[in-house]
């Protein structure tokens, strides 16, 4: 992993955009579902173009998760491969991996203990008890899949180091294609069998995140090999092209009232458009030339971006507290305001970003305190 001083500020900023995407997605998740099933009070959002905007928002969750994995693959696979080429041993690789896992697992355990203590002593948090386990297992699925993928980074790096570039690239692309073919097949089977294969879809969603990790590593190869001007132009064109195609797709589905297709296209294991948008976003961010800019702004971006994991854990553990409040607020807007669709979407977006910034700040403060205590 690159030292802090060598961080690409554009990629760190992309992490923050992805955090905003996760926050906005979760705020509107129930609203989107209620709109798609035709709930009466959500009718204003079912009309064109608002349903299209909701559909785009519903892509953000899948997009953001894949961005996180691609960014990690972009750095960790190349780092592991370089270490093998420089004569690293399994012991040294595992030591570095253990350090990385500590940065994932320790904060997660800390927030789980805080949530459990709060729920037990202060005010109950629904489902957060010693007698339940979903809240710290599947409720934090993203975290544990991420930890497992980080653990596999040395093996991916070893494959990259030992295989020729062509063989490695071909293998990763072939695995990616097979994963999405399997995802599509399981989605079709689940749709025709009353969700019988939904557990396999969840498993394949985790596999898709690993594929995103591998694709992130391939994007690193692209940015390292190509001329900076050419790869910069490629990054810009890729992002604009995929973004325009996404907007056109969601707009067309909104115009034709095809909300069912919106739902299918945004499911995390089958959303090729989200995957492509994530890859284009990382390629764009990785190819922006570093500018001197304001060092304080850059420092703030890095500080907040390193709190991404803490944000994800906190918003997941506390979802039963904040989600009903947000849902009620948006539902009340839809039944009591003029131009309710516009006000609902703007309000939901604003409170999502404020909420995300609050959680990022809390985790940044925790990290600062932890570092000071460690030094002492």
């Amino acid at each position: 992993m690159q030292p802090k001083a060598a961080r690409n500020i554009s990629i760190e900023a992309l992490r923050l955009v992805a955090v905003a995407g996760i926050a906005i997605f979760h705020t509107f998740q129930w609203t989107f579902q209620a709109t798609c099933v035709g709930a009466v009070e959500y009718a204003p959002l079912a009309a064109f173009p608002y349903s299209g905007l909701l559909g785009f928002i519903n892509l953000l969750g899948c997009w953001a998760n894949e961005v996180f994995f691609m960014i990690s693959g972009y750095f960790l696979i190349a780092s592991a491969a370089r270490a093998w080429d420089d004569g690293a041993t399994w012991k040294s690789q595992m030591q570095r991996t253990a350090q990385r896992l500590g940065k994932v697992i320790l904060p997660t355990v800390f927030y789980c203990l805080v949530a459990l203590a709060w729920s037990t002593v202060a005010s109950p948090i629904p489902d957060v008890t010693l007698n339940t386990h979903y809240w710290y297992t599947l409720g934090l699925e993203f975290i544990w899949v991420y930890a497992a993928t980080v653990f596999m980074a040395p093996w991916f790096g070893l494959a990259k180091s030992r295989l020729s570039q062509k063989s490695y690239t071909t293998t990763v692309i072939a695995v990616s294609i097979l994963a999405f073919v399997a995802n599509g097949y399981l989605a079709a089977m689940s749709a025709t069998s009353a969700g019988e294969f939904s557990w396999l879809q969840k498993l394949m969603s985790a596999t898709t995140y690993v594929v995103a990790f591998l694709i992130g590593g391939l994007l690193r190869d692209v940015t390292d090999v190509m001329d900076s001007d050419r790869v910069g132009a490629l990054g810009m064109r890729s992002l604009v092209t995929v973004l325009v195609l996404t907007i056109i797709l969601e707009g067309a589905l909104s115009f034709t009232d095809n909300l069912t297709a919106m739902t299918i296209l945004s499911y995390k294991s089958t959303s090729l458009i989200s995957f492509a948008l994530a890859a284009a976003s990382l390629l764009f961010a990785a190819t922006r030339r570093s500018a001197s800019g304001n060092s304080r702004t850059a420092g703030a971006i890095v500080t907040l971006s390193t709190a991404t994991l803490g944000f994800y854990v906190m918003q997941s553990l506390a979802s039963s507290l904040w989600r009903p409040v947000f849902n009620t607020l948006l539902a009340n807007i839809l039944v009591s305001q003029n131009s309710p669709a516009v006000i609902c979407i703007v309000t939901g977006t604003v409170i999502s970003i404020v909420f995300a910034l609050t959680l990022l700040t809390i985790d940044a403060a925790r990290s600062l305190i932890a570092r000071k205590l460690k030094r002492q």
Side-chain angles (χ1 to χ4, degrees):
M1 183 177 290
Q2 289 184 337
K4 189 173 182 179
R7 287 182 182 270
N8 183 316
I9 299 303
S10 295
I11 291 181
E12 300 308 313
L14 178 60
R15 290 186 201 267
L16 295 183
V17 176
V19 166
I22 284 284
I24 295 170
F25 163 74
H26 281 141
T27 294
F28 285 99
Q29 190 173 15
W30 166 252
T31 301
F32 179 76
Q33 293 171 0
T35 301
C36 288
V37 299
V40 176
E41 61 269 37
Y42 292 89
L45 291 172
F48 174 83
Y50 305 112
S51 61
L53 187 53
L54 271 186
F56 185 86
I57 288 173
N58 205 51
L59 294 174
L60 293 179
C62 179
W63 167 81
N65 286 346
E66 286 166 349
V67 162
F68 293 140
F69 275 86
M70 286 185 187
I71 289 175
S72 294
Y74 184 87
F75 291 111
L76 296 186
I77 293 176
S79 176
R82 283 196 304 270
W84 287 121
D85 290 338
D86 292 340
T89 63
W90 275 109
K91 181 179 179 179
S92 64
Q93 288 278 35
M94 289 298 100
Q95 287 175 338
R96 296 173 67 191
T97 300
Q99 291 175 347
R100 294 185 182 117
L101 288 175
K103 295 178 181 179
V104 175
I105 295 173
L106 293 180
T108 302
V109 172
F110 170 78
Y111 284 119
C112 285
L113 292 175
V114 169
L116 181 60
W118 181 273
S119 183
T120 303
V121 177
S123 178
I125 301 175
D127 301 323
V128 178
T129 70
L130 282 172
N131 299 323
T132 57
H133 57 81
Y134 180 87
W135 59 279
Y136 64 84
T137 55
L138 289 179
L140 295 176
E141 174 193 12
F142 173 86
I143 300 298
W144 305 128
V145 173
Y146 179 74
T149 307
V150 169
F151 179 75
M152 291 187 289
W155 281 268
F156 296 143
L158 181 62
K160 180 176 176 57
S161 175
R162 298 294 184 264
L163 296 175
S164 68
Q165 182 62 46
K166 182 178 180 180
S167 296
Y168 178 78
T169 301
T170 301
T171 301
V172 170
I173 292 175
V175 169
S176 303
I177 292 173
L178 286 174
F180 276 102
V181 169
N183 286 338
Y185 174 76
L186 288 174
M189 293 294 292
S190 184
T192 59
S193 58
E196 180 181 348
F197 295 89
S198 59
W199 68 274
L200 274 175
Q201 285 184 279
K202 291 282 287 185
L203 181 62
M204 286 304 298
S205 294
T207 302
T208 305
Y209 291 152
V210 178
V211 169
F213 189 84
L214 292 170
I215 292 298
L218 288 189
L219 290 176
R220 178 62 177 267
D221 295 336
V222 172
T223 59
D224 284 350
V225 172
M226 291 183 65
D227 174 81
S228 59
D229 289 334
R230 287 181 59 205
V231 75
L234 176 62
M236 173 69 78
R237 288 197 302 267
S238 299
L239 180 59
V240 170
T241 299
V242 180
L243 189 57
V244 168
L245 289 175
T246 304
I247 293 172
I248 291 173
L249 175 62
E250 294 298 326
L253 294 176
S254 173
F255 186 75
T256 57
D257 295 323
N258 198 340
L259 303 186
T260 301
M262 278 189 192
T263 303
I264 295 172
L265 288 173
S266 62
Y267 189 77
K268 53 190 173 184
S269 67
T270 52
S271 184
L272 274 171
I273 193 71
S274 293
F275 195 91
L277 187 59
S281 299
L282 175 56
L283 185 60
F284 173 79
T287 54
R288 297 306 94 194
R289 292 181 177 177
S290 299
S292 56
N294 187 314
S295 59
R296 289 186 178 181
T297 300
I301 290 173
V302 171
T303 299
L304 291 177
S305 70
T306 56
T308 295
L309 183 140
F311 153 81
Y312 196 97
V313 176
M314 282 188 283
Q315 64 94 35
S316 295
L317 292 175
S319 63
S320 58
L321 298 179
W322 62 263
R323 194 185 296 272
V325 176
F326 286 16
N327 290 344
T328 301
L329 173 62
L330 298 183
N332 287 339
I333 289 174
L334 290 172
V335 299
S336 63
Q337 298 286 336
N338 293 322
S339 302
V342 174
I343 297 175
C344 175
I345 291 174
V346 171
T347 301
T349 301
V350 171
I351 63 175
S352 300
I353 293 174
V354 172
F355 182 53
L357 284 174
T358 300
L359 297 187
L360 288 171
T361 303
I362 290 172
D363 189 67
R366 177 207 59 80
S367 181
L368 176 62
I369 294 171
R371 288 196 301 271
K372 286 186 176 180
L373 292 176
K374 186 177 181 180
R375 285 197 295 267
Q376 292 176 355

